[in-house]
Structure formats: structure tokens, C-alpha cells
Amino acid sequence: MPADRRDHDATALAAAFAAGNTDPVEATQAALDRLERLNPALNAVIHPRPERSLAEAAEASHRWAKRRDASSDHGDMPLDGVPMAVKDLGCEQAGEFHHAGARFLVDLEWRGTLDSHLYRLLRDAGMISVGRTNTPEFGTTITTEPAAYGPTANPWDLTRSPGGSSGGSAAAVAAGIVPVAHGNDGGGSIRVPAAACGLVGLKPTRGRVSTAPRLGEHRGGFAVDGMLTRTVRDAARCLDIISRPAPGDPYVAPPLEPGASFANALVTPLPRLHIAVSTGIPNRASEPVRRATEQVASLLDGLGHRIETDTAPDGWFSPDIADQMIVVRTVGMAAEVAGWAERLGRPMTADDIEPANWWSAELGRSLPASAYVQALEELARWRRRVMSFWDPSPFGRPGTPGDDRWDLLLTPVLADVTPPLGYLSDPLDGARRIADLAPFVNQANVNGQPAISLPTAHDPDGLPLGVQLHAGHGNEQLLLAVAQQIADAGGLIPLGDLPLELP
């Protein structure tokens, strides 16, 4: 994998298809070859689909040949024929294994019964899934170490966590198996693995990507689907593909202006922006993480933006929201377990579910319905309090002294370097360690606002470190434009030859 991220991203691959330099069959076979060679060490892809992916690639190759013969462009299918991977949580595919990291679904050899709205959009865009990726059980933690399938390793160091819960997808992209992969983010689950594996991880606005037809207000609306990518331009093009609402969605993000697209936002001139920077309460972020954040703040300052350090929304790091989030998440877990009991026609037991999730479901079952409603109301009050911080205009406005609104907030993704496998899954101290490591990610899930993780530095051992930018509700265009500005200024670390020599 060359040092320039753009050389082998999805956009470059589609351009090679258009030029006739390669075709989707050749690209998909190459992805499958890399999967066969690298996956035994990584355990990133748990359900390969070689035959189906090659058949779909042949159809895409035929479409590209027709376009070239007609000297036409690729219209609204800019990533037609590009190989990808799908996280084995959500994004249901009819007839494909779908186990969500759960042992009882592995034992049942459970398969999807329909194509989700999201997968239909990806499929209709011509993108080709080479397989489904590993995830912790029900995606409830920020490392990927399910009992059902075992841990996924970080391609930069096989002893380190790839993050989670989209760790399998992140490892597959970072290792060069595929250029992009699906993930979802209910508590940093796109941004954390992007930071750990040196990728771009965009968490879209709540309602930007539909959860139809299976899910509605899933766990209080905290979670949203998205993609892990090597480049900002791929993140924009993927969001253009998957951001189409379905009838009856409980949340719908603000639509773009007619004729606008997320990809076009990358070339839109930016005004001088008003950007706040925070590394949390004193001593919350480690020295390498603080340095990485300060480095990006300095770069943005050099690009002409107005930067103010040690600034965040009032209450952004308040511990008051933690108890309410526990209520929402544990009640959600109880509902998840009850839903599977109904679908299977039998009670679920502690033998079916990993201990941490069984404890969570038991706590959720013990709470009255009023506690859930009260928690949502408390979080809504907190959300209104902190979201007044952001300027709501689509591309921000010139940052001038005296402004009381901000265009962006820059923070770390994690408070420290990527931990070793086993550190966050420890049965005694895992929950406390997760809380200590991840004080910067849950806010965007509660608020439903967009946030993007960018790989901008290395830790002392040479592994990636990520920072994140938060924007106002519905303002992914601004996030992507600034992220591209950072990339164009050389602010992203190369995704070149990994320090690791994979077998």
C-alpha cells in the first residue's frame, strides 16, 4: 500500500475502472487474495463471500465496459464495482450469515432474511461486499474481542486492539483488504477504530443514514451507520450513496441544498472558521494525545482559522449524563435480548449472552419504564444546553472576535494510546478502563451531531493516533471540507507500508 492515501482508495480504483486499467473482477479477486493471505493473522472478516462477490464483480465489469464503449461517465454510480466489507452488525443481507458477535446466533447459523435499506443502497451503487466483519457481541464495547469469534488484531501491531465495535471493518481497510468498509457508531464505534487503525471515520448526523426496515429508534437514537475509509474524499462519496431516508424513519437529517453533494463540499471555499479546542479536564488526555490535538490546532491556525484552546460547550464533560446514558443503554440491551427471545420462541439465558451484556440486560429489565423516559428527557435538556455552542450555518461563517457561536470543536478521539488486546475486555476492570479511555466520544451520540476522526499523528510506538472534529447538527459538509483542508495541508499520516510484516 503506497504512502499516498489517494493512490489506492475507492475513488482511485473507480477511476482505474473508467480508464480500463483494471476491472471489478480483477479488483475483487485481488481483495479476496489479500483476504486469504492476511485474515488468518487479523481475524477481521468472519464471513467471506467469494463466489457471490465475484459474480457481482462480473456484472459490474460488464457495466463499466458498456460505459467505456459509449464514452460515457459513471453518472450516479461513482463507486460501481469497488470491493468493500460489511460489519456483521446491522446492514442485513438476505441469505448471509448475521451473528452480531453472539454465540447463540453462531450456534443457530443465523442468516439475514432481508436486505436492509442501507445494504440496498450500497448494492444498487454497485459496491461489492467480499464478506462480513468481526464485531463485539451486539457492538457494546470499543474493542473487538467477542467470545463467539475471538479477537481481531490491529494491522499496525497484532498485540493491540483495533478498537470497536467496528474493529473488524477497520482492520480490513487498514490492512488493504478493501478500500472501504461499513461500520456503525453508537458510542464511538466508527471513530475509535478509525483512530486505532489510522483511518478516516465519519459518524453522520442522526437520521442521515436510515436503519429501515428492521430498526427504528434504536437505543435512544444513539447509533448511526457509516463507513470507514482511507481518505476524506471516499468518506464524502460513500455518504452521498448511503444518505437517503426511508419512509417512516423516526429521525431525518436536514437535507442538502438542491444540487449539492457531500463530495462537492470538498472543493467549496471555506471562510475563516471559529474553532474551539479541548483535551478535556486536566490530566484526562495523555501527553501523546494532547500533542496530537495541539498539532492539528496549530495546522488549522496556520490555515487562517481562529483557534481558541481549552474551550468546550458548557457541561460537555459533565459526569451528570453518564447515569442517564447507562439507563438508555441497559434498557436497550434488555429490549435486544427480549427481541431475540421473541424471534426464537424461547427464553434467553445467561448461557446465551456474554456476562457483561447479560448484566446490562438484567439491569435494564429491573428499571421501570419511567426511568427510561426520564433519562431521555434529561439527555434532551443536556443536548439543548450544549448544542447552542455551534453555529448552524452550512459552511460556518467568518470567525471574528466577540462571536458566541463556534463552527467546530476539536478534541481527541481517545484519551490515551491504543491499548493491547485484553485490556478493555478484562472482566473486572474493563468497564472502568473503557470509561477512562473514552471521555470524548459519547457526546456526539447523545447529541446526534456529526463528528469525524482523522489520523493525524503516531504514538511513541509508531501506532496511529486520531483527533476528531465535531460540527453542528446536519453539518457534515463543513466537517468534510475542513477534513479535506487538513489532508491537503499534509495533516494526515501516511497509510503506507505498515510497520508490521503480515504473514
Side-chain angles (χ1 to χ4, degrees):
M1 196 187 306
D4 191 332
R5 289 171 172 266
R6 295 169 299 180
D7 286 348
H8 279 226
D9 69 353
T11 300
L13 186 57
F17 296 159
N21 296 331
T22 187
D23 64 31
V25 170
E26 190 174 273
T28 301
Q29 185 61 63
L32 293 169
D33 291 345
R34 291 191 294 270
L35 172 61
E36 183 177 9
R37 179 169 60 90
L38 301 178
N39 201 54
L42 295 171
N43 192 32
V45 179
I46 54 175
H47 306 308
R49 55 191 304 269
E51 295 84 4
R52 291 188 182 187
S53 62
L54 286 170
E56 292 167 9
E59 295 172 1
S61 292
H62 180 66
R63 291 192 295 269
W64 276 109
K66 288 179 64 176
R67 291 188 190 104
R68 289 192 296 270
D69 289 344
S71 298
S72 63
D73 62 24
H74 37 83
D76 61 352
M77 297 178 69
L79 300 184
D80 190 9
V82 169
M84 64 169 183
V86 175
K87 182 179 178 180
D88 197 31
L89 181 68
C91 202
E92 188 171 351
Q93 298 167 275
E96 303 284 349
F97 286 125
H98 192 178
H99 297 156
R103 291 171 297 180
F104 73 95
L105 293 175
V106 176
D107 294 341
L108 292 169
E109 298 185 350
W110 190 267
R111 294 177 183 266
T113 58
L114 52 82
D115 283 340
S116 66
H117 178 74
L118 172 58
Y119 183 65
R120 287 197 299 270
L121 292 174
L122 292 166
R123 181 197 63 200
D124 292 347
M127 299 185 75
I128 298 165
S129 171
V130 300
R132 297 181 69 87
T133 61
N134 203 11
T135 179
E137 185 183 71
F138 301 128
T140 55
T141 186
I142 58 169
T143 187
T144 303
E145 305 177 47
Y149 282 102
T152 294
N154 190 316
W156 292 79
D157 180 340
L158 296 181
T159 70
R160 301 284 191 105
S161 170
S165 62
S166 306
S169 289
V173 176
I177 294 172
V178 288
V180 297
H182 158 257
N184 30 50
D185 192 319
S189 289
I190 286 174
R191 290 163 288 153
V192 169
C197 293
L199 304 175
V200 175
L202 173 64
K203 175 213 165 293
T205 296
R206 179 177 298 154
R208 182 71 71 194
V209 181
S210 175
T211 58
R214 187 77 73 186
L215 299 174
E217 190 169 340
H218 186 48
R219 297 186 191 175
F222 288 178
V224 62
D225 288 271
M227 304 291 281
L228 289 125
T229 64
R230 296 177 187 168
T231 58
V232 177
R233 67 181 185 177
D234 277 3
R237 284 170 172 79
C238 286
L239 191 59
D240 279 325
I241 289 170
I242 64 177
S243 59
R244 299 182 186 181
D249 282 347
Y251 307 102
V252 178
L256 303 186
E257 295 292 328
S261 72
F262 296 108
N264 288 343
L266 304 187
V267 296
T268 301
L270 286 168
R272 182 176 187 244
L273 299 174
H274 198 186
I275 302 175
V277 183
S278 178
T279 54
I281 59 176
N283 302 317
R284 200 63 188 269
S286 69
E287 181 59 27
V289 169
R290 287 198 300 273
R291 284 199 306 269
T293 308
E294 291 164 359
Q295 175 182 312
V296 175
S298 177
L299 186 151
L300 289 167
D301 180 73
L303 291 170
H305 301 301
R306 180 185 166 208
I307 307 299
E308 292 198 24
T309 58
D310 300 322
T311 302
D314 180 38
W316 189 251
F317 298 105
S318 171
D320 296 343
I321 66 168
D323 290 345
Q324 314 308 326
M325 294 171 68
I326 289 172
V327 170
V328 174
R329 285 179 167 144
T330 57
V331 170
M333 179 52 62
E336 183 114 36
V337 173
W340 279 110
E342 183 177 350
R343 291 178 76 177
L344 299 180
R346 67 166 178 84
M348 302 295 291
T349 72
D351 292 333
D352 295 310
I353 309 293
E354 291 185 23
N357 285 333
W358 183 253
W359 174 88
S360 178
E362 289 282 272
L363 176 58
R365 278 192 288 269
S366 74
L367 297 170
S370 60
Y372 181 77
V373 175
Q374 289 168 356
L376 291 178
E377 292 296 332
E378 181 64 29
L379 291 173
R381 286 189 288 272
W382 179 83
R383 183 163 56 246
R384 290 193 177 98
R385 172 185 172 190
V386 301
M387 288 304 289
S388 62
F389 184 83
W390 275 270
D391 178 33
S393 57
F395 277 96
R397 56 184 180 158
T400 56
D403 282 353
D404 59 359
R405 292 289 186 96
W406 302 79
D407 297 302
L408 296 170
L409 171 66
L410 171 67
T411 73
V413 176
L414 294 173
D416 206 350
V417 300
T418 303
L421 288 165
Y423 180 82
L424 298 176
S425 57
D426 182 89
L428 296 178
D429 289 334
R432 177 188 58 79
R433 291 170 176 175
I434 289 169
D436 289 343
L437 187 63
F440 300 103
V441 291
N442 284 311
Q443 296 92 333
N445 297 100
V446 173
N447 292 332
Q449 69 188 116
I452 191 168
S453 173
L454 299 173
T456 61
H458 295 96
D459 74 9
D461 292 327
L463 273 74
L465 285 175
V467 301
Q468 64 179 329
L469 289 164
H470 304 74
H473 188 258
N475 212 349
E476 290 98 327
Q477 290 170 290
L478 178 62
L479 273 186
L480 289 162
V482 175
Q484 187 62 55
Q485 194 177 47
I486 292 170
D488 290 342
L492 305 190
I493 62 171
L495 190 61
D497 294 333
L498 298 177
L500 160 76
E501 183 63 37
L502 286 170

